[in-house]
PDB file of all heavy atoms in Angstrom:
ATOM      1  N   GLU A 317     -20.593   7.962  13.537  1.00  0.00           N
ATOM      2  CA  GLU A 317     -19.322   7.721  12.833  1.00  0.00           C
ATOM      3  C   GLU A 317     -19.366   6.385  12.107  1.00  0.00           C
ATOM      4  O   GLU A 317     -18.903   6.263  10.971  1.00  0.00           O
ATOM      5  CB  GLU A 317     -18.142   7.676  13.812  1.00  0.00           C
ATOM      6  CG  GLU A 317     -17.777   9.014  14.415  1.00  0.00           C
ATOM      7  CD  GLU A 317     -18.479   9.210  15.747  1.00  0.00           C
ATOM      8  OE1 GLU A 317     -19.660   8.818  15.882  1.00  0.00           O
ATOM      9  OE2 GLU A 317     -17.845   9.770  16.643  1.00  0.00           O
ATOM     10  N   ALA A 318     -19.951   5.372  12.756  1.00  0.00           N
ATOM     11  CA  ALA A 318     -20.003   4.048  12.131  1.00  0.00           C
ATOM     12  C   ALA A 318     -20.840   4.106  10.857  1.00  0.00           C
ATOM     13  O   ALA A 318     -20.488   3.491   9.842  1.00  0.00           O
ATOM     14  CB  ALA A 318     -20.578   3.025  13.114  1.00  0.00           C
ATOM     15  N   ALA A 319     -21.941   4.850  10.898  1.00  0.00           N
ATOM     16  CA  ALA A 319     -22.785   4.982   9.705  1.00  0.00           C
ATOM     17  C   ALA A 319     -22.026   5.722   8.601  1.00  0.00           C
ATOM     18  O   ALA A 319     -22.067   5.332   7.427  1.00  0.00           O
ATOM     19  CB  ALA A 319     -24.073   5.726  10.060  1.00  0.00           C
ATOM     20  N   VAL A 320     -21.313   6.784   8.970  1.00  0.00           N
ATOM     21  CA  VAL A 320     -20.550   7.567   7.985  1.00  0.00           C
ATOM     22  C   VAL A 320     -19.482   6.690   7.329  1.00  0.00           C
ATOM     23  O   VAL A 320     -19.355   6.627   6.098  1.00  0.00           O
ATOM     24  CB  VAL A 320     -19.874   8.788   8.681  1.00  0.00           C
ATOM     25  CG1 VAL A 320     -18.825   9.422   7.789  1.00  0.00           C
ATOM     26  CG2 VAL A 320     -20.920   9.811   9.095  1.00  0.00           C
ATOM     27  N   VAL A 321     -18.723   5.998   8.157  1.00  0.00           N
ATOM     28  CA  VAL A 321     -17.567   5.251   7.642  1.00  0.00           C
ATOM     29  C   VAL A 321     -18.018   4.026   6.853  1.00  0.00           C
ATOM     30  O   VAL A 321     -17.473   3.721   5.789  1.00  0.00           O
ATOM     31  CB  VAL A 321     -16.636   4.853   8.819  1.00  0.00           C
ATOM     32  CG1 VAL A 321     -15.519   3.956   8.348  1.00  0.00           C
ATOM     33  CG2 VAL A 321     -16.060   6.111   9.472  1.00  0.00           C
ATOM     34  N   LYS A 322     -19.036   3.336   7.356  1.00  0.00           N
ATOM     35  CA  LYS A 322     -19.545   2.153   6.625  1.00  0.00           C
ATOM     36  C   LYS A 322     -20.029   2.570   5.233  1.00  0.00           C
ATOM     37  O   LYS A 322     -19.765   1.910   4.236  1.00  0.00           O
ATOM     38  CB  LYS A 322     -20.686   1.517   7.440  1.00  0.00           C
ATOM     39  CG  LYS A 322     -21.149   0.162   6.957  1.00  0.00           C
ATOM     40  CD  LYS A 322     -22.312   0.222   5.981  1.00  0.00           C
ATOM     41  CE  LYS A 322     -22.696  -1.139   5.446  1.00  0.00           C
ATOM     42  NZ  LYS A 322     -23.724  -1.099   4.419  1.00  0.00           N
ATOM     43  N   THR A 323     -20.758   3.680   5.184  1.00  0.00           N
ATOM     44  CA  THR A 323     -21.296   4.147   3.904  1.00  0.00           C
ATOM     45  C   THR A 323     -20.171   4.556   2.963  1.00  0.00           C
ATOM     46  O   THR A 323     -20.131   4.131   1.795  1.00  0.00           O
ATOM     47  CB  THR A 323     -22.242   5.354   4.124  1.00  0.00           C
ATOM     48  OG1 THR A 323     -23.184   4.992   5.115  1.00  0.00           O
ATOM     49  CG2 THR A 323     -22.960   5.733   2.857  1.00  0.00           C
ATOM     50  N   PHE A 324     -19.239   5.351   3.471  1.00  0.00           N
ATOM     51  CA  PHE A 324     -18.164   5.824   2.590  1.00  0.00           C
ATOM     52  C   PHE A 324     -17.333   4.654   2.071  1.00  0.00           C
ATOM     53  O   PHE A 324     -17.053   4.545   0.879  1.00  0.00           O
ATOM     54  CB  PHE A 324     -17.255   6.830   3.314  1.00  0.00           C
ATOM     55  CG  PHE A 324     -16.210   7.399   2.392  1.00  0.00           C
ATOM     56  CD1 PHE A 324     -16.537   8.422   1.509  1.00  0.00           C
ATOM     57  CD2 PHE A 324     -14.914   6.886   2.359  1.00  0.00           C
ATOM     58  CE1 PHE A 324     -15.599   8.925   0.615  1.00  0.00           C
ATOM     59  CE2 PHE A 324     -13.962   7.386   1.465  1.00  0.00           C
ATOM     60  CZ  PHE A 324     -14.312   8.412   0.602  1.00  0.00           C
ATOM     61  N   ALA A 325     -16.949   3.745   2.973  1.00  0.00           N
ATOM     62  CA  ALA A 325     -16.047   2.655   2.572  1.00  0.00           C
ATOM     63  C   ALA A 325     -16.740   1.690   1.599  1.00  0.00           C
ATOM     64  O   ALA A 325     -16.143   1.265   0.608  1.00  0.00           O
ATOM     65  CB  ALA A 325     -15.559   1.910   3.814  1.00  0.00           C
ATOM     66  N   SER A 326     -18.001   1.358   1.860  1.00  0.00           N
ATOM     67  CA  SER A 326     -18.668   0.393   0.972  1.00  0.00           C
ATOM     68  C   SER A 326     -18.944   1.019  -0.394  1.00  0.00           C
ATOM     69  O   SER A 326     -18.797   0.366  -1.434  1.00  0.00           O
ATOM     70  CB  SER A 326     -19.951  -0.146   1.612  1.00  0.00           C
ATOM     71  OG  SER A 326     -20.824   0.908   1.938  1.00  0.00           O
ATOM     72  N   GLU A 327     -19.312   2.304  -0.415  1.00  0.00           N
ATOM     73  CA  GLU A 327     -19.554   2.967  -1.707  1.00  0.00           C
ATOM     74  C   GLU A 327     -18.237   3.187  -2.447  1.00  0.00           C
ATOM     75  O   GLU A 327     -18.172   3.115  -3.675  1.00  0.00           O
ATOM     76  CB  GLU A 327     -20.319   4.276  -1.490  1.00  0.00           C
ATOM     77  CG  GLU A 327     -21.739   4.002  -0.971  1.00  0.00           C
ATOM     78  CD  GLU A 327     -22.585   5.251  -0.797  1.00  0.00           C
ATOM     79  OE1 GLU A 327     -22.058   6.376  -0.960  1.00  0.00           O
ATOM     80  OE2 GLU A 327     -23.790   5.100  -0.491  1.00  0.00           O
ATOM     81  N   MET A 328     -17.177   3.429  -1.684  1.00  0.00           N
ATOM     82  CA  MET A 328     -15.841   3.576  -2.275  1.00  0.00           C
ATOM     83  C   MET A 328     -15.427   2.278  -2.961  1.00  0.00           C
ATOM     84  O   MET A 328     -14.925   2.279  -4.084  1.00  0.00           O
ATOM     85  CB  MET A 328     -14.873   3.956  -1.151  1.00  0.00           C
ATOM     86  CG  MET A 328     -13.418   4.050  -1.480  1.00  0.00           C
ATOM     87  SD  MET A 328     -12.550   2.486  -1.616  1.00  0.00           S
ATOM     88  CE  MET A 328     -12.532   1.872   0.041  1.00  0.00           C
ATOM     89  N   TYR A 329     -15.662   1.140  -2.307  1.00  0.00           N
ATOM     90  CA  TYR A 329     -15.300  -0.159  -2.904  1.00  0.00           C
ATOM     91  C   TYR A 329     -16.118  -0.404  -4.177  1.00  0.00           C
ATOM     92  O   TYR A 329     -15.603  -0.875  -5.190  1.00  0.00           O
ATOM     93  CB  TYR A 329     -15.534  -1.263  -1.866  1.00  0.00           C
ATOM     94  CG  TYR A 329     -15.334  -2.675  -2.354  1.00  0.00           C
ATOM     95  CD1 TYR A 329     -14.359  -3.007  -3.309  1.00  0.00           C
ATOM     96  CD2 TYR A 329     -16.116  -3.717  -1.847  1.00  0.00           C
ATOM     97  CE1 TYR A 329     -14.184  -4.321  -3.737  1.00  0.00           C
ATOM     98  CE2 TYR A 329     -15.943  -5.029  -2.269  1.00  0.00           C
ATOM     99  CZ  TYR A 329     -14.983  -5.324  -3.222  1.00  0.00           C
ATOM    100  OH  TYR A 329     -14.818  -6.617  -3.655  1.00  0.00           O
ATOM    101  N   LYS A 330     -17.384  -0.036  -4.139  1.00  0.00           N
ATOM    102  CA  LYS A 330     -18.249  -0.216  -5.319  1.00  0.00           C
ATOM    103  C   LYS A 330     -17.698   0.609  -6.492  1.00  0.00           C
ATOM    104  O   LYS A 330     -17.589   0.113  -7.614  1.00  0.00           O
ATOM    105  CB  LYS A 330     -19.676   0.225  -4.969  1.00  0.00           C
ATOM    106  CG  LYS A 330     -20.694  -0.147  -6.010  1.00  0.00           C
ATOM    107  CD  LYS A 330     -22.117   0.126  -5.529  1.00  0.00           C
ATOM    108  CE  LYS A 330     -22.449   1.592  -5.526  1.00  0.00           C
ATOM    109  NZ  LYS A 330     -23.882   1.871  -5.386  1.00  0.00           N
TER     110      LYS A 330
END
Side-chain angles (χ1 to χ4, degrees):
E317 289 94 321
V320 166
V321 174
K322 190 267 176 185
T323 309
F324 184 80
S326 57
E327 293 183 354
M328 175 282 291
Y329 175 34
K330 191 172 74 166

